[in-house]
PDB file of all heavy atoms in Angstrom:
ATOM      1  N   ALA M 146      23.593  47.773  12.828  1.00 93.00           N
ATOM      2  CA  ALA M 146      22.366  47.959  13.620  1.00 93.00           C
ATOM      3  C   ALA M 146      22.359  49.354  14.248  1.00 93.00           C
ATOM      4  O   ALA M 146      21.334  50.033  14.275  1.00 93.00           O
ATOM      5  CB  ALA M 146      22.256  46.874  14.686  1.00 93.00           C
ATOM      6  N   LYS M 147      23.533  49.767  14.733  1.00 88.00           N
ATOM      7  CA  LYS M 147      23.661  51.084  15.380  1.00 88.00           C
ATOM      8  C   LYS M 147      23.275  52.210  14.415  1.00 88.00           C
ATOM      9  O   LYS M 147      22.650  53.192  14.806  1.00 88.00           O
ATOM     10  CB  LYS M 147      25.114  51.287  15.826  1.00 88.00           C
ATOM     11  CG  LYS M 147      25.245  51.346  17.344  1.00 88.00           C
ATOM     12  CD  LYS M 147      26.665  51.661  17.745  1.00 88.00           C
ATOM     13  CE  LYS M 147      27.044  50.785  18.945  1.00 88.00           C
ATOM     14  NZ  LYS M 147      28.459  50.514  19.037  1.00 88.00           N
ATOM     15  N   LYS M 148      23.652  52.044  13.142  1.00 91.00           N
ATOM     16  CA  LYS M 148      23.364  53.080  12.135  1.00 91.00           C
ATOM     17  C   LYS M 148      21.863  53.237  11.901  1.00 91.00           C
ATOM     18  O   LYS M 148      21.414  54.206  11.328  1.00 91.00           O
ATOM     19  CB  LYS M 148      24.049  52.730  10.810  1.00 91.00           C
ATOM     20  CG  LYS M 148      25.531  52.985  10.839  1.00 91.00           C
ATOM     21  CD  LYS M 148      26.108  52.901   9.425  1.00 91.00           C
ATOM     22  CE  LYS M 148      27.612  52.655   9.497  1.00 91.00           C
ATOM     23  NZ  LYS M 148      28.079  51.629   8.577  1.00 91.00           N
ATOM     24  N   ARG M 149      21.090  52.218  12.305  1.00 93.00           N
ATOM     25  CA  ARG M 149      19.631  52.289  12.078  1.00 93.00           C
ATOM     26  C   ARG M 149      18.915  52.984  13.221  1.00 93.00           C
ATOM     27  O   ARG M 149      17.735  52.757  13.468  1.00 93.00           O
ATOM     28  CB  ARG M 149      19.086  50.874  11.866  1.00 93.00           C
ATOM     29  CG  ARG M 149      19.641  50.276  10.612  1.00 93.00           C
ATOM     30  CD  ARG M 149      19.058  48.939  10.274  1.00 93.00           C
ATOM     31  NE  ARG M 149      19.764  48.385   9.127  1.00 93.00           N
ATOM     32  CZ  ARG M 149      19.600  47.177   8.654  1.00 93.00           C
ATOM     33  NH1 ARG M 149      18.724  46.375   9.241  1.00 93.00           N
ATOM     34  NH2 ARG M 149      20.278  46.756   7.630  1.00 93.00           N
ATOM     35  N   GLY M 150      19.637  53.802  13.976  1.00 83.00           N
ATOM     36  CA  GLY M 150      18.990  54.562  15.044  1.00 83.00           C
ATOM     37  C   GLY M 150      19.272  53.965  16.400  1.00 83.00           C
ATOM     38  O   GLY M 150      19.714  52.815  16.509  1.00 83.00           O
ATOM     39  N   GLY M 151      19.007  54.747  17.422  1.00 77.00           N
ATOM     40  CA  GLY M 151      19.313  54.331  18.799  1.00 77.00           C
ATOM     41  C   GLY M 151      18.304  53.316  19.294  1.00 77.00           C
ATOM     42  O   GLY M 151      17.350  52.975  18.606  1.00 77.00           O
ATOM     43  N   PHE M 152      18.549  52.827  20.505  1.00 82.00           N
ATOM     44  CA  PHE M 152      17.602  51.911  21.123  1.00 82.00           C
ATOM     45  C   PHE M 152      16.334  52.651  21.490  1.00 82.00           C
ATOM     46  O   PHE M 152      16.357  53.856  21.718  1.00 82.00           O
ATOM     47  CB  PHE M 152      18.208  51.323  22.399  1.00 82.00           C
ATOM     48  CG  PHE M 152      19.271  50.306  22.137  1.00 82.00           C
ATOM     49  CD1 PHE M 152      20.557  50.487  22.617  1.00 82.00           C
ATOM     50  CD2 PHE M 152      18.985  49.146  21.430  1.00 82.00           C
ATOM     51  CE1 PHE M 152      21.547  49.541  22.387  1.00 82.00           C
ATOM     52  CE2 PHE M 152      19.965  48.197  21.191  1.00 82.00           C
ATOM     53  CZ  PHE M 152      21.249  48.399  21.668  1.00 82.00           C
ATOM     54  N   GLY M 153      15.236  51.918  21.576  1.00 84.00           N
ATOM     55  CA  GLY M 153      13.999  52.512  22.074  1.00 84.00           C
ATOM     56  C   GLY M 153      14.021  52.493  23.595  1.00 84.00           C
ATOM     57  O   GLY M 153      15.086  52.343  24.218  1.00 84.00           O
ATOM     58  N   GLU M 154      12.848  52.622  24.167  1.00 86.00           N
ATOM     59  CA  GLU M 154      12.746  52.742  25.624  1.00 86.00           C
ATOM     60  C   GLU M 154      12.371  51.418  26.290  1.00 86.00           C
ATOM     61  O   GLU M 154      12.204  51.363  27.499  1.00 86.00           O
ATOM     62  CB  GLU M 154      11.658  53.780  25.977  1.00 86.00           C
ATOM     63  CG  GLU M 154      11.948  55.200  25.485  1.00 86.00           C
ATOM     64  CD  GLU M 154      13.185  55.791  26.157  1.00 86.00           C
ATOM     65  OE1 GLU M 154      13.288  55.665  27.392  1.00 86.00           O
ATOM     66  OE2 GLU M 154      14.054  56.322  25.442  1.00 86.00           O
ATOM     67  N   GLU M 155      12.196  50.355  25.475  1.00 92.00           N
ATOM     68  CA  GLU M 155      11.692  49.120  26.077  1.00 92.00           C
ATOM     69  C   GLU M 155      12.773  48.379  26.861  1.00 92.00           C
ATOM     70  O   GLU M 155      13.967  48.607  26.695  1.00 92.00           O
ATOM     71  CB  GLU M 155      11.042  48.230  25.003  1.00 92.00           C
ATOM     72  CG  GLU M 155       9.717  48.807  24.546  1.00 92.00           C
ATOM     73  CD  GLU M 155       8.786  47.800  23.882  1.00 92.00           C
ATOM     74  OE1 GLU M 155       9.250  46.761  23.413  1.00 92.00           O
ATOM     75  OE2 GLU M 155       7.577  48.094  23.843  1.00 92.00           O
ATOM     76  N   ARG M 156      12.283  47.470  27.703  1.00 95.00           N
ATOM     77  CA  ARG M 156      13.091  46.783  28.702  1.00 95.00           C
ATOM     78  C   ARG M 156      14.394  46.152  28.188  1.00 95.00           C
ATOM     79  O   ARG M 156      15.421  46.264  28.830  1.00 95.00           O
ATOM     80  CB  ARG M 156      12.210  45.708  29.353  1.00 95.00           C
ATOM     81  CG  ARG M 156      12.786  45.045  30.550  1.00 95.00           C
ATOM     82  CD  ARG M 156      11.767  44.093  31.139  1.00 95.00           C
ATOM     83  NE  ARG M 156      10.664  44.767  31.793  1.00 95.00           N
ATOM     84  CZ  ARG M 156      10.641  45.113  33.082  1.00 95.00           C
ATOM     85  NH1 ARG M 156      11.680  44.835  33.856  1.00 95.00           N
ATOM     86  NH2 ARG M 156       9.591  45.715  33.601  1.00 95.00           N
ATOM     87  N   TYR M 157      14.353  45.475  27.043  1.00 95.00           N
ATOM     88  CA  TYR M 157      15.542  44.725  26.607  1.00 95.00           C
ATOM     89  C   TYR M 157      16.428  45.498  25.650  1.00 95.00           C
ATOM     90  O   TYR M 157      17.369  44.946  25.096  1.00 95.00           O
ATOM     91  CB  TYR M 157      15.100  43.415  25.947  1.00 95.00           C
ATOM     92  CG  TYR M 157      14.328  42.484  26.848  1.00 95.00           C
ATOM     93  CD1 TYR M 157      13.287  41.708  26.348  1.00 95.00           C
ATOM     94  CD2 TYR M 157      14.639  42.360  28.201  1.00 95.00           C
ATOM     95  CE1 TYR M 157      12.569  40.843  27.158  1.00 95.00           C
ATOM     96  CE2 TYR M 157      13.922  41.498  29.024  1.00 95.00           C
ATOM     97  CZ  TYR M 157      12.890  40.746  28.495  1.00 95.00           C
ATOM     98  OH  TYR M 157      12.188  39.893  29.301  1.00 95.00           O
ATOM     99  N   GLU M 158      16.114  46.770  25.443  1.00 91.00           N
ATOM    100  CA  GLU M 158      16.830  47.538  24.439  1.00 91.00           C
ATOM    101  C   GLU M 158      18.089  48.189  25.020  1.00 91.00           C
ATOM    102  O   GLU M 158      18.188  49.411  25.138  1.00 91.00           O
ATOM    103  CB  GLU M 158      15.861  48.552  23.792  1.00 91.00           C
ATOM    104  CG  GLU M 158      14.752  47.805  23.054  1.00 91.00           C
ATOM    105  CD  GLU M 158      13.669  48.683  22.456  1.00 91.00           C
ATOM    106  OE1 GLU M 158      13.414  49.768  22.999  1.00 91.00           O
ATOM    107  OE2 GLU M 158      13.076  48.264  21.451  1.00 91.00           O
ATOM    108  N   THR M 159      19.059  47.322  25.380  1.00 92.00           N
ATOM    109  CA  THR M 159      20.345  47.797  25.894  1.00 92.00           C
ATOM    110  C   THR M 159      21.461  47.031  25.182  1.00 92.00           C
ATOM    111  O   THR M 159      21.239  45.902  24.722  1.00 92.00           O
ATOM    112  CB  THR M 159      20.479  47.532  27.413  1.00 92.00           C
ATOM    113  OG1 THR M 159      20.517  46.103  27.610  1.00 92.00           O
ATOM    114  CG2 THR M 159      19.335  48.116  28.217  1.00 92.00           C
TER     115      THR M 159
END
Side-chain angles (χ1 to χ4, degrees):
K147 246 185 221 153
K148 285 192 200 135
R149 295 185 186 173
F152 286 121
E154 297 296 314
E155 288 201 339
R156 189 176 288 270
Y157 299 144
E158 296 176 331
T159 66

